[in-house]
Amino acid sequence: FTGTVPQELCDRYLNKDFFEGHPSGNDRDGCTSVACPANTKAFQGIFPCHTCAESFLNPYLGSNQCIGLEQRDILRNMYNEMNGDDWLFASSWQLANEAGWAENINICDMEGVDCNSAGHVVGINLANKNLSGMIPESVGFLRYLRSLNLADNSLTGYLPSDLRWAPLEELDISGNKLEGFVPPSLCEKSDINGNGIGGQFSCDILTCPAGTFNEIGRATPGGPVQSNGDIINPYCVRCLDADQAQYLGQKACENVSVQTAPVSGVTGLSDIALIGIIMPIIAVVLVMAFYGFRKYKRMKHRRETEYYNSNGVSSKSVFAEFGAKQSSGSVFDDDKKFCAANVKNTLAFDITSERISDKEVWLDVPRARVI
């Protein structure tokens, strides 16, 4: 919590049981009975409260620690929390650590650190240097820090809300493995990446939320922008599957279609393995469909044959009659339609549609002329 304890709560009798037997319990006021004020600390966050020493700060109520404001200490904390021994192209940081961050080490000469003429750190650029671990909250207490670029590393954890205390104008944490959401206190802070232009604030301008992506890892105010000659979409675009963008500030939707969660030490299935599983399944389905269709045709033919035979009619009788006339030369040419009509006392049927009619059968054949 920040601010002050409301006067309505500042009652000396509130929480009085906490202070019974304390040697200076009678010296407390009602507000410190609730929480120690900002820039103080206490073991349990309540009376007795102790003022932070010079070069230390505590912006919160009821805190048990004061935060150092020395730039050297904050940079050393960054190095330790983000596994500086593994950083790439950061030899000056590693030399400073080996030297115990002695006063003769000029922090403004370290890779990625930018200082103003007064020696205050105004910019830190550690993009793509193999950073890991978590972003320390103390970074937010660099009182002159205007630009922070930690993009394209392997940082985990959450985006610290304490970054709101720094006068940031540029922030890039894209391409990491940060989870959760952007702290509302940061979303409401103006000037970061142009946030608040025209009175409109958006967390997306700081970094794209989980489940979405953008080519630069965040939305941009004021419409599309150019990056390396390409036009960048100004919005964070939602991925088709939320699992394709599990982290803040993703620059693309990950392809998870051929990846599975590890099972018994297996780290995933390759394309070839998936094909080897899917193809036999498809083959079995096709074979079952083929034999099912053949069985259906045989059953249908058997039922038709039984029906025709039960009525004294052979399904081939009409074709036999037509074939006999054709072989004797009585049917030729393709001009006419052959008609077998008035077959007395015989059940006739339409071969094409299989509809049964009384005493007549019409058969469509290639047009022929009857002699």
Side-chain angles (χ1 to χ4, degrees):
F1 295 101
T2 58
T4 59
V5 177
Q7 286 296 321
E8 294 81 358
L9 294 177
C10 295
D11 185 345
R12 289 192 76 254
Y13 295 99
L14 189 64
N15 297 332
K16 67 176 183 178
D17 294 343
F18 295 169
F19 309 101
E20 288 184 357
H22 195 283
S24 58
N26 294 329
D27 297 333
R28 63 185 172 84
D29 60 34
C31 294
T32 56
S33 300
V34 178
C36 288
N39 285 321
T40 66
K41 66 176 182 177
F43 178 68
Q44 292 183 323
I46 54 178
F47 181 88
C49 309
H50 306 283
T51 303
C52 292
E54 187 178 356
S55 302
F56 284 81
L57 173 70
N58 171 35
Y60 302 110
L61 298 177
S63 179
N64 61 359
Q65 64 175 342
C66 296
I67 301 167
L69 299 178
E70 288 290 340
Q71 297 180 136
R72 188 178 306 273
D73 294 335
I74 294 174
L75 296 181
R76 176 169 52 186
N77 190 29
M78 288 182 64
Y79 182 90
N80 293 331
E81 293 293 327
M82 298 191 289
N83 301 311
D85 291 343
D86 299 326
W87 292 3
L88 301 176
F89 311 110
S91 58
S92 60
W93 286 76
Q94 290 148 359
L95 288 173
N97 187 62
E98 292 174 2
W101 296 87
E103 291 295 329
N104 62 338
I105 300 295
N106 187 354
I107 59 174
C108 295
D109 290 338
M110 296 193 305
E111 287 94 349
V113 178
D114 186 22
C115 296
N116 60 16
S117 58
H120 299 136
V121 176
V122 295
I124 298 177
N125 185 349
L126 296 175
N128 198 25
K129 287 190 178 293
N130 197 39
L131 278 60
S132 59
M134 303 174 65
I135 303 173
E137 297 177 348
S138 59
V139 179
F141 295 98
L142 287 169
R143 291 173 288 178
Y144 301 92
L145 185 66
R146 298 188 178 278
S147 176
L148 178 63
N149 187 348
L150 303 176
D152 300 323
N153 287 292
S154 299
L155 296 171
T156 56
Y158 306 94
L159 187 63
S161 62
D162 282 337
L163 290 177
R164 61 179 160 159
W165 302 117
L168 285 172
E169 296 176 358
E170 298 177 0
L171 175 65
D172 192 350
I173 49 91
S174 62
N176 285 284
K177 297 180 179 180
L178 298 174
E179 300 178 297
F181 55 89
V182 180
S185 56
L186 270 178
C187 301
E188 297 170 357
K189 185 177 175 63
S190 61
D191 298 331
I192 301 181
N193 299 339
N195 197 22
I197 292 178
Q200 295 190 358
F201 293 82
S202 173
C203 295
D204 292 5
I205 295 175
L206 276 65
T207 187
C208 286
T212 68
F213 79 100
N214 184 283
E215 290 87 342
I216 60 174
R218 59 180 175 84
T220 54
V225 296
Q226 282 194 343
S227 177
N228 297 325
D230 297 327
I231 302 297
I232 302 299
N233 188 328
Y235 307 108
C236 295
V237 181
R238 185 163 298 279
C239 295
L240 294 178
D241 189 338
D243 291 338
Q244 294 178 306
Q246 302 179 48
Y247 306 112
L248 299 177
Q250 287 201 194
K251 297 181 178 181
C253 294
E254 296 179 355
N255 182 11
V256 298
S257 61
V258 296
Q259 298 178 2
T260 60
V263 179
S264 302
V266 180
T267 58
L269 297 176
S270 64
D271 293 344
I272 296 177
L274 283 174
I275 293 174
I277 294 173
I278 294 173
M279 291 305 294
I281 296 175
I282 294 176
V284 170
V285 172
L286 292 175
V287 169
M288 292 178 64
F290 173 75
Y291 280 102
F293 179 75
R294 288 193 60 184
K295 184 175 181 181
Y296 165 77
K297 294 293 290 183
R298 287 198 299 268
M299 292 178 62
K300 181 179 180 182
H301 177 71
R302 185 168 62 251
R303 287 197 299 267
E304 289 176 349
T305 301
E306 291 173 355
Y307 181 85
Y308 296 150
N309 291 340
S310 65
N311 287 278
V313 178
S314 171
S315 60
K316 297 181 180 180
S317 59
V318 176
F319 289 110
E321 180 182 352
F322 177 71
K325 290 188 178 184
Q326 198 173 31
S327 60
S328 64
S330 60
V331 179
F332 63 95
D333 209 351
D334 58 356
D335 265 345
K336 301 286 184 179
K337 177 188 289 185
F338 172 69
C339 170
N342 298 321
V343 180
K344 304 297 183 180
N345 301 320
T346 303
L347 180 67
F349 52 92
D350 186 324
I351 295 298
T352 302
S353 64
E354 298 180 0
R355 291 196 305 269
I356 305 301
S357 58
D358 283 334
K359 299 188 179 181
E360 287 190 346
V361 59
W362 291 86
L363 177 66
D364 284 336
V365 298
R367 292 185 177 180
R369 184 171 60 205
V370 180
I371 299 178

